[in-house]
Amino acid sequence: MVLCAPLGAEEQSAHRSVLHLADGLAQRGMRALRFDYPGCGDSEGETVDCTSLQDWVDSVVAAVAWLREVGCTRIALLGLRLGAMVAGMACARARPDWLVLWAPVTDGRRYARELRAMAALGAGAQPDGAWLEVAGHASLALNV
């Protein structure tokens, strides 16, 4: 299973749940791959250097390819919040056996409004091009 986490403050909130899910799958003999998208978390680069969702989609496709290379014959993608959208976008190229969407972002405009509202609550949080600072994390502003 490739676990496609949410981003920014939502990733921080979901981190332990995703960790426990990965550990539980591993204890049952399933491979569970957690990773950081390019420019996020412990990956190379800065979030603001990533200018499109395609970079994150490419990383999911690469994760699936790696699991196949190490012998996995059945692959599932599990995406949480914005990670669900990334996982869904990766399906055409990654061709997983299963797709699980956990609280997916289903309306880009509403999600962008939520990010802007959360950013407005922060002290001095100002839009920076395609990015907002939300709860101390760079978040894609999604100009839709």
Side-chain angles (χ1 to χ4, degrees):
M1 180 168 299
V2 176
L3 300 168
C4 304
L7 293 152
E10 290 181 337
E11 191 281 330
Q12 186 175 16
S13 296
H15 181 80
R16 286 189 65 78
S17 297
V18 173
L19 174 65
H20 288 301
L21 174 61
D23 286 345
L25 291 169
Q27 289 172 2
R28 288 165 182 77
M30 298 173 67
R31 291 185 179 168
L33 178 60
R34 294 183 309 126
F35 67 99
D36 291 321
Y37 303 108
C40 300
D42 292 325
S43 71
E44 188 174 304
E46 295 295 322
T47 304
V48 294
D49 295 333
C50 180
T51 58
S52 79
L53 291 173
Q54 194 58 51
D55 294 332
W56 297 328
V57 170
D58 293 345
S59 68
V60 173
V61 172
V64 170
W66 182 80
L67 282 175
R68 288 197 170 111
E69 285 175 20
V70 298
C72 293
T73 58
R74 295 182 297 168
I75 305 286
L77 295 180
L78 183 144
L80 175 56
R81 294 293 291 148
L82 193 60
M85 184 171 74
V86 173
M89 291 171 67
C91 279
R93 291 175 40 218
R95 304 186 53 84
D97 298 288
W98 298 280
L99 174 64
V100 179
L101 305 178
W102 182 0
V105 170
T106 58
D107 184 328
R109 285 192 170 100
R110 182 174 58 201
Y111 183 69
R113 281 192 307 269
E114 289 172 9
L115 289 178
R116 286 188 205 101
M118 286 189 285
L121 294 174
Q126 298 294 321
D128 180 20
W131 298 94
L132 293 173
E133 182 176 319
V134 178
H137 298 274
S139 294
L140 191 60
L142 298 174
N143 294 321
V144 291

